[in-house]
Coordinates of all heavy atoms in Angstrom, one line a residue:
D1 N 172.0 -20.4 101.7 CA 172.8 -21.1 100.7 C 172.5 -20.6 99.3 O 173.3 -21.0 98.4 CB 172.6 -22.6 100.8 CG 173.3 -23.2 102.1 OD1 174.2 -22.6 102.5 OD2 172.8 -24.2 102.5
S2 N 171.4 -19.9 99.2 CA 171.1 -19.4 97.8 C 171.6 -18.0 97.6 O 171.5 -17.5 96.5 CB 169.6 -19.3 97.6 OG 169.0 -20.6 97.7
A3 N 172.2 -17.4 98.6 CA 172.6 -16.0 98.7 C 174.1 -15.8 98.3 O 174.8 -16.8 98.5 CB 172.3 -15.4 100.0
D4 N 174.5 -14.7 97.9 CA 175.8 -14.3 97.6 C 176.4 -13.7 98.9 O 177.6 -13.8 99.1 CB 175.9 -13.3 96.5 CG 175.2 -13.8 95.2 OD1 175.6 -14.9 94.7 OD2 174.3 -13.1 94.7
V5 N 175.6 -13.0 99.7 CA 176.1 -12.4 100.9 C 175.2 -12.7 102.1 O 173.9 -12.8 101.8 CB 176.1 -10.8 100.7 CG1 176.7 -10.1 102.0 CG2 177.0 -10.5 99.5
V6 N 175.8 -13.0 103.2 CA 175.0 -13.3 104.4 C 175.2 -12.2 105.5 O 176.3 -11.9 105.8 CB 175.3 -14.7 105.0 CG1 174.5 -14.9 106.2 CG2 175.0 -15.8 104.0
L7 N 174.2 -11.6 106.0 CA 174.2 -10.7 107.1 C 174.2 -11.4 108.4 O 173.2 -11.8 108.9 CB 173.1 -9.6 107.0 CG 172.9 -9.0 105.7 CD1 171.7 -7.8 105.8 CD2 174.1 -8.2 105.2
V8 N 175.4 -11.7 109.0 CA 175.5 -12.5 110.1 C 174.7 -11.9 111.3 O 174.2 -12.7 112.1 CB 177.0 -12.7 110.5 CG1 177.2 -13.5 111.8 CG2 177.8 -13.3 109.3
K9 N 174.7 -10.6 111.4 CA 174.1 -10.0 112.6 C 172.6 -9.8 112.3 O 171.9 -9.3 113.2 CB 174.7 -8.6 112.8 CG 176.2 -8.7 113.2 CD 176.7 -7.3 113.3 CE 178.2 -7.3 113.7 NZ 178.8 -5.9 113.7
S10 N 172.1 -10.3 111.2 CA 170.7 -10.2 110.9 C 170.2 -8.8 110.9 O 169.0 -8.5 111.2 CB 169.8 -11.1 111.8 OG 170.2 -12.4 111.7
D11 N 171.0 -7.8 110.5 CA 170.7 -6.4 110.5 C 170.7 -5.9 109.1 O 171.8 -5.8 108.4 CB 171.7 -5.6 111.4 CG 171.3 -4.1 111.4 OD1 170.3 -3.7 110.8 OD2 172.0 -3.4 112.2
P12 N 169.6 -5.6 108.5 CA 169.5 -5.2 107.1 C 170.3 -3.9 106.8 O 170.7 -3.7 105.7 CB 168.0 -5.0 106.8 CG 167.4 -4.9 108.1 CD 168.2 -5.7 109.1
S13 N 170.5 -3.1 107.8 CA 171.3 -1.9 107.6 C 172.8 -2.2 107.2 O 173.5 -1.4 106.7 CB 171.3 -1.0 108.9 OG 171.9 -1.7 109.9
D14 N 173.2 -3.5 107.5 CA 174.6 -3.9 107.1 C 174.7 -4.0 105.6 O 175.8 -4.1 105.1 CB 174.8 -5.3 107.7 CG 175.3 -5.1 109.2 OD1 175.6 -4.1 109.6 OD2 175.3 -6.2 109.8
V15 N 173.6 -3.9 104.9 CA 173.6 -3.9 103.4 C 174.3 -2.6 103.0 O 175.1 -2.7 102.0 CB 172.1 -3.9 102.8 CG1 172.2 -3.6 101.3 CG2 171.4 -5.2 103.1
I16 N 174.2 -1.6 103.7 CA 174.8 -0.3 103.3 C 176.3 -0.5 103.5 O 177.1 0.0 102.7 CB 174.4 0.9 104.2 CG1 172.8 1.1 104.0 CG2 175.1 2.2 103.9 CD1 172.4 1.5 102.7
R17 N 176.8 -1.2 104.6 CA 178.1 -1.4 104.9 C 178.7 -2.2 103.8 O 179.8 -2.0 103.3 CB 178.4 -2.0 106.2 CG 179.8 -2.3 106.6 CD 180.0 -2.9 108.0 NE 179.7 -1.8 109.0 CZ 178.6 -1.9 109.8 NH1 177.7 -2.9 109.6 NH2 178.3 -0.9 110.6
F18 N 177.9 -3.2 103.3 CA 178.5 -4.1 102.3 C 178.6 -3.3 100.9 O 179.6 -3.5 100.3 CB 177.4 -5.3 102.0 CG 177.7 -6.1 100.7 CD1 178.8 -6.8 100.6 CD2 176.8 -6.0 99.7 CE1 179.2 -7.5 99.5 CE2 177.1 -6.6 98.5 CZ 178.2 -7.4 98.4
I19 N 177.7 -2.5 100.6 CA 177.8 -1.7 99.4 C 179.1 -0.8 99.5 O 179.8 -0.7 98.5 CB 176.5 -0.9 99.1 CG1 175.4 -1.8 98.9 CG2 176.8 0.2 98.0 CD1 174.1 -1.0 98.8
D20 N 179.3 -0.2 100.6 CA 180.5 0.7 100.8 C 181.8 -0.1 100.6 O 182.8 0.3 99.9 CB 180.4 1.4 102.1 CG 179.3 2.5 102.2 OD1 178.9 2.8 101.1 OD2 179.0 2.8 103.3
I21 N 181.8 -1.3 101.3 CA 183.0 -2.2 101.2 C 183.2 -2.6 99.7 O 184.4 -2.7 99.2 CB 182.9 -3.4 102.1 CG1 183.0 -2.9 103.6 CG2 184.0 -4.3 101.9 CD1 182.8 -4.0 104.6
A22 N 182.1 -3.0 99.1 CA 182.1 -3.4 97.7 C 182.7 -2.4 96.8 O 183.6 -2.7 95.8 CB 180.7 -3.8 97.2
K23 N 182.4 -1.1 97.0 CA 182.9 -0.1 96.2 C 184.4 0.1 96.4 O 185.2 0.4 95.5 CB 182.2 1.3 96.5 CG 180.7 1.4 96.0 CD 180.1 2.6 96.3 CE 178.7 2.8 95.7 NZ 178.0 4.0 96.0
A24 N 184.8 0.1 97.6 CA 186.3 0.2 97.9 C 187.0 -1.0 97.4 O 188.2 -0.9 96.8 CB 186.5 0.2 99.5
T25 N 186.4 -2.2 97.5 CA 187.0 -3.4 96.9 C 187.2 -3.3 95.4 O 188.2 -3.7 94.8 CB 186.2 -4.7 97.3 OG1 186.2 -4.8 98.7 CG2 186.8 -5.9 96.7
T26 N 186.1 -2.9 94.7 CA 186.2 -2.8 93.3 C 187.2 -1.7 92.8 O 187.9 -2.0 91.8 CB 184.8 -2.3 92.8 OG1 183.8 -3.4 93.1 CG2 184.8 -2.3 91.2
K27 N 187.4 -0.7 93.6 CA 188.4 0.3 93.3 C 189.8 -0.4 93.3 O 190.6 -0.2 92.5 CB 188.3 1.4 94.2 CG 189.4 2.5 94.0 CD 189.3 3.7 95.1 CE 190.3 4.8 94.8 NZ 190.3 5.8 95.7
K28 N 190.0 -1.2 94.4 CA 191.3 -1.9 94.5 C 191.5 -2.9 93.4 O 192.7 -3.2 92.9 CB 191.4 -2.6 95.9 CG 191.7 -1.7 97.0 CD 193.0 -0.9 96.9 CE 193.2 0.0 98.0 NZ 194.5 0.8 97.8
M29 N 190.4 -3.6 93.0 CA 190.5 -4.5 91.9 C 191.0 -3.9 90.6 O 191.8 -4.4 89.9 CB 189.1 -5.2 91.6 CG 188.7 -6.2 92.7 SD 187.1 -6.9 92.2 CE 186.8 -8.1 93.5
I30 N 190.4 -2.7 90.3 CA 190.8 -2.0 89.1 C 192.2 -1.6 89.2 O 192.9 -1.6 88.2 CB 189.8 -0.8 88.9 CG1 188.4 -1.3 88.7 CG2 190.2 0.1 87.7 CD1 187.4 -0.2 88.6
E31 N 192.6 -1.0 90.3 CA 194.1 -0.6 90.5 C 195.0 -1.8 90.2 O 196.0 -1.7 89.6 CB 194.2 0.0 91.9 CG 193.5 1.3 92.1 CD 193.6 1.7 93.5 OE1 194.2 1.0 94.4 OE2 193.2 2.8 93.8
N32 N 194.6 -2.9 90.8 CA 195.5 -4.2 90.7 C 195.5 -4.6 89.2 O 196.5 -5.2 88.8 CB 195.0 -5.2 91.6 CG 195.8 -5.2 93.0 OD1 196.4 -4.2 93.2 ND2 195.6 -6.3 93.8
L33 N 194.4 -4.5 88.6 CA 194.3 -5.0 87.2 C 195.3 -4.1 86.3 O 196.0 -4.6 85.4 CB 192.9 -4.9 86.6 CG 192.0 -6.0 87.1 CD1 190.5 -5.8 86.6 CD2 192.5 -7.4 86.6
W34 N 195.3 -2.8 86.6 CA 196.2 -1.9 85.9 C 197.7 -2.3 86.2 O 198.5 -2.2 85.3 CB 195.9 -0.4 86.2 CG 194.8 0.2 85.4 CD1 193.5 0.5 85.8 CD2 194.9 0.4 84.0 NE1 192.8 0.9 84.7 CE2 193.6 0.9 83.6 CE3 195.9 0.3 83.1 CZ2 193.4 1.3 82.3 CZ3 195.7 0.8 81.8 CH2 194.4 1.2 81.4
W35 N 197.9 -2.6 87.5 CA 199.3 -3.0 87.8 C 199.7 -4.3 87.2 O 200.8 -4.4 86.6 CB 199.5 -3.2 89.3 CG 199.6 -1.9 90.1 CD1 198.7 -1.3 91.0 CD2 200.8 -1.0 90.1 NE1 199.2 -0.1 91.5 CE2 200.5 0.1 90.9 CE3 202.0 -1.0 89.4 CZ2 201.4 1.1 91.2 CZ3 202.9 0.0 89.5 CH2 202.6 1.1 90.4
G36 N 198.7 -5.3 87.2 CA 199.0 -6.5 86.6 C 199.1 -6.5 85.1 O 200.1 -7.0 84.4
A37 N 198.2 -5.7 84.5 CA 198.2 -5.7 83.0 C 199.3 -4.7 82.6 O 199.8 -4.8 81.4 CB 196.8 -5.2 82.5
G38 N 199.5 -3.7 83.4 CA 200.6 -2.7 83.0 C 201.9 -3.3 82.8 O 202.7 -2.9 81.9
Y39 N 202.2 -4.3 83.6 CA 203.5 -5.0 83.4 C 203.5 -5.7 82.1 O 204.5 -5.6 81.4 CB 203.6 -6.1 84.5 CG 204.4 -7.3 84.0 CD1 205.8 -7.3 84.1 CD2 203.8 -8.5 83.6 CE1 206.6 -8.3 83.7 CE2 204.6 -9.6 83.1 CZ 206.0 -9.5 83.2 OH 206.7 -10.5 82.8
N40 N 202.5 -6.2 81.6 CA 202.5 -6.8 80.3 C 202.5 -5.7 79.2 O 203.2 -6.1 78.1 CB 201.1 -7.6 80.0 CG 201.1 -8.8 81.0 OD1 200.6 -8.7 82.1 ND2 201.5 -10.0 80.6
L41 N 201.9 -4.6 79.4 CA 202.0 -3.6 78.4 C 203.4 -3.1 78.1 O 203.8 -2.7 77.0 CB 201.1 -2.4 78.8 CG 199.6 -2.7 78.9 CD1 198.8 -1.5 79.4 CD2 199.0 -3.1 77.5
I42 N 204.2 -3.1 79.2 CA 205.6 -2.7 79.0 C 206.5 -3.9 78.7 O 207.3 -3.8 77.7 CB 206.1 -2.2 80.4 CG1 205.3 -0.9 80.8 CG2 207.6 -1.8 80.3 CD1 205.6 -0.3 82.1
A43 N 206.3 -5.0 79.3 CA 207.1 -6.2 79.1 C 207.0 -6.9 77.7 O 208.0 -7.3 77.1 CB 206.9 -7.3 80.2

């Protein structure tokens, strides 16, 4: 309950998987921010 992420399988190597997913997620966030803000820049 104090953590931000829980490794359900209790396998610390899943930390690597989380980091990789986080990088892909952040990339999508930035793309979406450009799409969302880009509308405003034009509109």
Side-chain angles (χ1 to χ4, degrees):
D1 287 336
S2 300
D4 303 305
V5 182
V6 178
L7 308 183
V8 178
K9 299 177 183 177
S10 299
D11 185 355
S13 63
D14 282 342
V15 171
I16 302 298
R17 182 176 290 109
F18 167 67
I19 292 173
D20 292 341
I21 291 176
K23 289 181 178 179
T25 300
T26 301
K27 181 181 178 182
K28 286 296 177 186
M29 285 180 177
I30 294 173
E31 291 173 358
N32 268 9
L33 285 175
W34 275 109
W35 280 111
Y39 152 79
N40 294 84
L41 294 176
I42 297 173

